[in-house]
């Protein structure tokens, strides 16, 4: 894609954030991998194969573009560092989360063995997905190894489009609810600019200190600012480049030779002088 003249349909697809990123300090290499629309028979074939009906908003998305991939980098000290990444798998890569053995050994544990029926839904949290047949889970984004964003059908197969929710599975295999619809998740993805580990802003333990550094430099365009700003001052070093090396230029103050008097000693100095004066006066009187 030509960065200087983005195509109109791609501008609409990204809600105009390409221009926002390109105008941000240090940002370079904003790129979108252009993908052809999915054919209707591809969507129908996926639904028949998986015995699941895709939500209407997700079908419309795939009919515009068969997946989504947008990346951007930053330039620091003449070095280009890949930073932002926004991914939604194509219809062919929208695969079910593997429930087979995590190891090749016979009898090895599976994801279903991690089920904990004690940890169910709370008052403010919907019921979490299950790794067994009670839920059907498809991977939307591998999050560069930081977890997985998943399309979850909550009530098994055959799966209705009304049962869909979007959840984040962290590296410790804990579930965190993101949104109830694909459209809401897509907006969340775009407004967080694909910053590293942005999904962890929706967990109880939040994003890492390193990720908070990037969040402070490139603030997400999001309504969820309370989660991102919480305890920011205790984690984020707010660097001022003009002050970073100021300590190296401090003038060296030469040490004075001789006795250094404390404040108490200095206060007592006039009294000592007075005593000597009176002693001297007394000696004169005796003479």
């Amino acid at each position: 894609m030509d960065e200087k003249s983005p195509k109109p349909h791609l501008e609409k697809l990204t809600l105009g954030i390409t221009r926002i990123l390109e105008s941000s300090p240090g940002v370079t290499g904003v790129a979108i991998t252009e993908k052809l629309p999915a054919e209707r028979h591809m969507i129908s074939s996926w639904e028949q194969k998986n015995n699941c009906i895709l939500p209407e908003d997700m079908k419309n998305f795939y009919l515009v573009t068969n997946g989504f991939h947008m990346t951007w980098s930053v330039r620091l000290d003449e070095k280009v560092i890949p930073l932002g990444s926004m991914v939604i798998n194509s219809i062919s890569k929208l695969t079910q989360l593997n429930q087979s053995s995590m190891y090749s050994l016979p009898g090895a544990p599976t994801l279903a063995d991690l089920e904990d029926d004690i940890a169910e839904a709370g008052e403010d949290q919907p019921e979490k997905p299950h790794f067994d047949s009670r839920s059907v889970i498809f991977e939307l984004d591998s999050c560069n190894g930081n977890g997985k964003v998943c399309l979850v059908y909550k009530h098994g197969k055959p799966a209705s489009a009304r049962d869909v929710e979007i959840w984040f599975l962290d590296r410790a295999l804990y579930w965190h609810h993101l949104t109830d619809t694909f459209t809401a998740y897509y907006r969340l993805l775009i407004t967080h600019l694909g910053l590293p580990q942005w999904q962890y802003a929706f967990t109880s333990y939040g994003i890492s200190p390193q990720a908070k550094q990037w969040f402070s430099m490139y603030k997400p365009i999001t309504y969820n600012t309370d989660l991102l700003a919480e305890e920011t001052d205790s984690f984020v070093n707010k660097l001022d480049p003009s002050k970073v090396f100021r300590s190296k230029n401090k003038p060296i103050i030469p040490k004075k030779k001789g006795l250094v008097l404390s404040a108490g000693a200095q206060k007592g100095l006039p009294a000592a002088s007075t005593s000597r004066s009176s002693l001297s006066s007394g000696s004169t009187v005796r003479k």
Side-chain angles (χ1 to χ4, degrees):
M1 169 187 164
D2 186 0
E3 295 178 17
K4 295 183 180 179
S5 56
K7 297 182 178 180
H9 73 282
L10 292 178
E11 275 288 291
K12 292 180 180 179
L13 186 65
T14 60
L15 308 180
I17 66 162
T18 51
R19 298 187 185 278
I20 296 174
L21 284 169
E22 288 169 351
S23 62
S24 300
V27 172
T28 184
V30 181
I32 304 174
T33 302
E34 187 173 358
K35 298 177 182 291
L36 295 174
E39 301 288 342
R40 289 189 179 274
H41 71 83
M42 296 170 64
I43 297 175
S44 300
S45 175
W46 184 93
E47 292 178 329
Q48 292 174 8
K49 176 184 176 181
N50 294 286
N51 199 13
C52 298
I53 303 299
L54 283 175
E56 203 63 31
D57 57 352
M58 202 164 179
K59 289 182 183 179
N60 293 334
F61 172 82
Y62 280 125
L63 290 173
V64 173
T65 175
N66 190 9
F68 178 69
H69 189 201
M70 179 175 180
T71 58
W72 55 279
S73 306
V74 293
R75 186 182 296 277
L76 294 175
D77 297 330
E78 302 303 321
K79 185 178 180 181
V80 176
I81 302 173
L83 187 63
S85 177
M86 289 165 267
V87 175
I88 293 176
N89 286 338
S90 64
I91 190 74
S92 61
K93 293 183 178 179
L94 189 63
T95 54
Q96 189 169 352
L97 199 66
N98 191 5
Q99 295 180 356
S100 63
S101 174
M102 292 181 288
Y103 305 97
S104 58
L105 298 175
T110 65
L111 288 175
D113 294 325
L114 300 175
E115 281 298 320
D116 183 7
D117 290 330
I118 299 175
E120 289 296 336
E123 294 181 359
D124 301 326
Q125 186 69 261
E127 181 185 354
K128 295 181 179 180
H130 299 281
F131 290 115
D132 55 24
S133 59
R134 286 175 288 178
S135 301
V136 189
I137 305 166
F138 298 92
E139 182 180 318
L140 277 175
D141 179 11
S142 62
C143 306
N144 291 325
N146 291 313
K148 293 180 185 297
V149 174
C150 297
L151 177 74
V152 177
Y153 290 86
K154 299 293 291 293
H155 300 108
K157 295 182 180 182
S160 167
R162 293 175 296 178
D163 296 334
V164 166
E165 292 177 353
I166 310 296
W167 286 73
F168 174 60
L169 180 64
D170 67 21
R171 294 185 64 180
L173 301 180
Y174 287 103
W175 288 107
H176 309 276
H177 182 259
L178 293 179
T179 63
D180 292 329
T181 65
F182 173 77
T183 299
Y185 168 72
Y186 182 75
R187 289 173 180 166
L188 212 58
L189 171 68
I190 294 295
T191 55
H192 280 84
L193 308 178
L195 285 164
Q197 304 175 20
W198 70 264
Q199 298 88 354
Y200 283 87
F202 297 86
T203 67
S204 59
Y205 30 86
I207 59 178
S208 68
Q210 181 182 8
K212 283 192 176 183
Q213 296 279 2
W214 294 117
F215 270 62
S216 67
M217 293 177 65
Y218 302 101
K219 292 180 174 57
I221 316 161
T222 173
Y223 56 84
N224 198 42
T225 53
D226 55 334
L227 289 175
L228 304 178
E230 185 177 359
E231 297 181 354
T232 297
D233 293 336
S234 61
F235 287 96
V236 179
N237 293 325
K238 298 178 180 179
L239 299 179
D240 184 348
S242 64
K243 298 180 181 179
V244 171
F245 302 106
R246 178 173 290 184
S247 58
K248 293 185 178 181
N249 298 325
K250 287 184 178 179
I252 301 175
I253 303 175
K255 295 183 178 179
K256 294 182 180 180
K257 295 182 179 180
L259 181 64
V260 178
L261 298 176
S262 63
Q266 291 175 355
K267 290 180 180 178
L269 186 58
S273 301
T274 306
S275 300
R276 291 194 186 96
S277 301
S278 60
L279 181 59
S280 178
S281 302
S283 300
T284 306
V285 168
R286 285 197 207 69
K287 286 180 180 179

